[in-house]
Amino acid sequence: GQLKSLARAFYGYSDMLIRFLSAKGLVAEPEVVLLRGALDALIPVAKTRYYTEEIREKLLKLLRKEIKDYTWDDVAELEKIAEAIYKEYEATGSEDLHDYYPKLRMYIAIIQGLLTKRGMERGEGEKTGQCQQ
């Protein structure tokens, strides 16, 4: 239990740090595209219980979307997919899911930062209510 709690705290901290750096413009779009390409190429094979073929197809569709076209709804969907991947890893112990999960979390945090930056540039700031984790 303590190890799981520590892992969650680490992911939460790293997500916020990456989101902050992305919102500040320290993560450029070419780097995001490179990470997205790696995620697409490394996408795990669907398992059985939580991470199904349907979820895998949703993930592929989202990863193939243009960076500028992401929305907060897409982020919410990516977070659900990441959670399914983590649950599947817990259930099966599959190392490919274990390796993929933090990379996907990083990508989600970057997209959140880019969306936050876009909102701030438009004068929206955090009034969109998208202060998610």
Side-chain angles (χ1 to χ4, degrees), residues 11 13 18 30 41 46 56 69 81-82 84 91 99 105 120 127-128:
Y11 284 129
Y13 171 78
I18 292 166
R56 183 179 180 277
D69 295 335
I81 292 168
D99 293 342
R105 293 275 353 143
M120 291 184 331
K127 73 181 182 183
T128 60

Side-chain angles (χ1 to χ4, degrees), residues 48-89:
T48 57
R49 189 169 182 188
Y50 301 103
Y51 177 60
T52 64
E53 186 59 36
E54 179 184 344
I55 292 173
R56 183 179 180 277
E57 290 297 323
K58 284 182 189 178
L59 178 56
L60 278 170
K61 183 178 176 184
L62 287 167
L63 289 175
R64 293 177 179 164
K65 196 169 188 174
E66 291 295 321
I67 303 298
K68 65 180 177 50
D69 295 335
Y70 276 101
T71 66
W72 286 107
D73 288 337
D74 296 327
V75 168
E77 189 65 32
L78 284 167
E79 287 180 325
K80 288 178 192 173
I81 292 168
E83 190 62 29
I85 287 171
Y86 190 80
K87 285 180 179 178
E88 188 74 37
Y89 159 69

Side-chain angles (χ1 to χ4, degrees), residues 7-130:
R8 291 267 184 210
F10 174 76
Y11 284 129
Y13 171 78
S14 63
D15 286 354
M16 287 307 298
L17 179 61
I18 292 166
R19 182 177 176 181
F20 174 77
L21 294 173
S22 179
K24 294 290 282 179
L26 297 174
V27 180
E29 189 168 324
E31 292 143 344
V32 181
V33 171
L34 182 65
L35 177 57
R36 181 184 65 190
L39 285 169
D40 191 318
L42 298 171
I43 194 163
V45 174
K47 303 300 179 187
T48 57
R49 189 169 182 188
Y50 301 103
Y51 177 60
T52 64
E53 186 59 36
E54 179 184 344
I55 292 173
R56 183 179 180 277
E57 290 297 323
K58 284 182 189 178
L59 178 56
L60 278 170
K61 183 178 176 184
L62 287 167
L63 289 175
R64 293 177 179 164
K65 196 169 188 174
E66 291 295 321
I67 303 298
K68 65 180 177 50
D69 295 335
Y70 276 101
T71 66
W72 286 107
D73 288 337
D74 296 327
V75 168
E77 189 65 32
L78 284 167
E79 287 180 325
K80 288 178 192 173
I81 292 168
E83 190 62 29
I85 287 171
Y86 190 80
K87 285 180 179 178
E88 188 74 37
Y89 159 69
E90 285 185 317
T92 65
S94 177
E95 287 299 316
D96 59 339
L97 297 174
H98 181 261
D99 293 342
Y100 194 82
Y101 177 76
K103 295 172 183 75
L104 182 57
R105 293 275 353 143
M106 181 187 308
Y107 185 71
I108 294 167
I110 290 169
I111 297 301
Q112 287 175 321
L114 293 175
L115 288 170
T116 300
K117 181 180 178 193
R118 185 189 314 162
M120 291 184 331
E121 288 170 350
R122 292 181 183 160
E124 298 169 5
E126 289 295 323
K127 73 181 182 183
T128 60
Q130 301 300 332

